[in-house]
Amino acid sequence: MTGIVFDIKRFAIHDGPGIRTSIFLKGCPLSCWWCHNPESQKKGIEHLRFKFKGSLSIGWETTAEELLIEVEKDRPFYEQSNGGITFTGGEPVLQAKFLMETAKLFKQKNFHLCLDTTGYTAPKIFQEVSQYIDLFLFDLKHLDDDYHKKYTGVSNKLILKNLEYLVETKKEVHIRFPLIPNINDQANHLENLAEYLSSLKYINNIFILPYHKIAQGKYEQLNFENKMNGIQEPTKDEVENTKFFFEKSGFNVKIGG
Ligand code: SF4
C-alpha cells in the first residue's frame, strides 16, 4: 500500500513531547481560512505554479517501510528525549488505511506515536485509528457549529463526537486551539470552550496556537484567495490573557505547539 506525504520534518520540537519526526500526510477535508499549508489540502500529488519559483510538485508517494527507514535514523534522539513520531498534515486520517498500516508498523518497533488531527472523520474510522496512537494533538477551532462551518467549511459535530470518544476511552489528548482575533477569541466563546472542555474531564492540557501571518506570502505566490486579509495577529497581551483565562479554569496551558 502507498500513501501521499508532502513533508517530513526531523528534529521537530513543537509537535508533541521530546524530539520527534513529523510526517505530513497530504489532503484535508477542511479549508480553514487561516491554513498555513493551503498546498496540502487537496488529496493526491499536485503540481502548483508559484509566482517566482515556477512549478513545484507537492507530495510524493511512499510506503510504510520507506517511512520506517526515515524515522529509524533518529531513534537515539527520540529515546534520549522521550520523543517519537507525529503524524500531521493536512488531516492524516483522510488516508486512514495508509495511516493505520504505518502506525501499526511503527508501534511494532516501539515508537511513541502522536496524531495531530482535526478529528473530522467517521467515528468508526477514527476509533480504528485511535488504537495505534499514544497521544492525540486534537485541534479545536470553534464550538459554534455555524461559525465552524463558515471558517473551516465543515460542521464540528463529528469532531466533537470523536473527541468525546477519546475522552470516554481515556486516551491522552492535548487540545490545540488556534487563537484568532475576531474569529474565536471572543470572551463568550472562550467561556463556552472552557466549560465544554471541563465537562469532558481528563482533558488537562491546552496548547494555544496564536494566529500568525507567516503563510500570507504563500497565498500570494500561489495566487490563492486569502480570506484572512485584514485579520491581525493577536497581541502578546491577548495571548497571555487567554492563557491566564484557561489556567484560571483549571487547565495546564502552553503557548505554541
Ligand atoms: S485543518 Fe489544518 S491543514 Fe486542514 S485546512 Fe485547517 S489548518 Fe489547513
Side-chain angles (χ1 to χ4, degrees):
M1 185 191 296
T2 59
I4 311 284
V5 163
F6 73 95
D7 201 3
I8 296 177
K9 211 180 273 167
R10 293 167 69 186
F11 302 105
I13 51 165
H14 297 294
D15 292 333
I19 296 171
R20 314 190 71 81
T21 295
S22 298
I23 299 175
F24 293 73
L25 277 80
K26 199 160 182 314
C28 183
L30 278 68
S31 47
C32 307
W33 285 22
W34 51 88
C35 184
H36 288 161
N37 295 319
E39 76 282 16
S40 76
Q41 290 176 7
K42 282 208 183 115
K43 216 175 161 181
I45 299 167
E46 272 184 283
H47 303 281
L48 291 175
R49 267 203 85 69
F50 286 77
K51 256 191 208 162
F52 303 114
K53 292 187 195 158
S55 215
L56 277 187
S57 244
I58 311 290
W60 69 91
E61 209 168 328
T62 188
T63 62
E65 291 75 19
E66 282 169 351
L67 290 175
L68 180 63
I69 293 169
E70 197 58 32
V71 300
E72 282 286 8
K73 291 177 187 168
D74 294 327
R75 188 186 275 277
F77 296 102
Y78 314 142
E79 286 174 355
Q80 280 161 26
S81 66
N82 289 325
I85 317 300
T86 298
F87 297 105
T88 181
E91 167 51 68
V93 179
L94 199 62
Q95 299 187 54
K97 286 209 170 110
F98 176 66
L99 172 64
M100 278 193 274
E101 183 173 296
T102 308
K104 192 172 170 187
L105 178 65
F106 285 10
K107 271 315 323 160
Q108 284 163 2
K109 305 287 177 188
N110 286 324
F111 289 111
H112 178 272
L113 301 185
C114 280
L115 177 65
D116 177 15
T117 182
T118 65
Y120 184 78
T121 190
K124 192 171 173 290
I125 294 175
F126 197 74
Q127 290 168 21
E128 256 182 87
V129 169
S130 74
Q131 63 187 307
Y132 302 107
I133 303 300
D134 300 299
L135 168 62
F136 290 80
L137 311 176
F138 200 103
D139 303 339
L140 210 48
K141 300 160 198 300
H142 212 297
L143 261 197
D144 181 286
D145 201 24
D146 289 335
Y147 284 124
H148 199 280
K149 282 181 195 150
K150 175 176 175 183
Y151 295 121
T152 75
V154 304
S155 162
N156 67 13
K157 288 204 170 78
L158 280 175
I159 292 170
L160 300 182
K161 195 172 170 136
N162 286 327
L163 175 60
E164 286 158 25
Y165 169 80
L166 294 181
V167 173
E168 276 159 28
T169 51
K170 299 197 172 53
K171 288 282 188 182
E172 196 181 352
V173 179
H174 291 178
I175 297 294
R176 292 183 139 195
F177 174 60
L179 180 70
I180 311 165
N182 300 327
I183 288 187
N184 63 9
D185 71 334
Q186 299 85 348
N188 67 334
H189 180 244
L190 297 181
E191 275 158 27
N192 291 344
L193 192 58
E195 198 179 317
Y196 171 70
L197 292 173
S198 302
S199 77
L200 294 182
K201 307 195 175 84
Y202 304 114
I203 291 205
N204 301 314
N205 297 296
I206 299 179
F207 289 76
I208 298 174
L209 310 177
Y211 165 65
H212 54 82
K213 295 186 168 195
I214 201 163
Q216 218 169 29
K218 214 190 262 183
Y219 279 81
E220 278 163 30
Q221 282 268 328
L222 285 166
N223 225 357
F224 284 179
E225 183 192 4
N226 183 2
K227 294 182 176 170
M228 295 299 277
N229 280 332
I231 294 182
Q232 300 306 316
E233 296 178 354
T235 63
K236 209 166 171 257
D237 277 357
E238 283 162 348
V239 175
E240 284 300 331
N241 288 343
T242 308
K243 179 176 187 275
F244 181 63
F245 168 77
F246 282 121
E247 281 171 345
K248 239 177 32 186
S249 308
F251 297 99
N252 303 321
V253 188
K254 288 209 177 106
I255 297 168

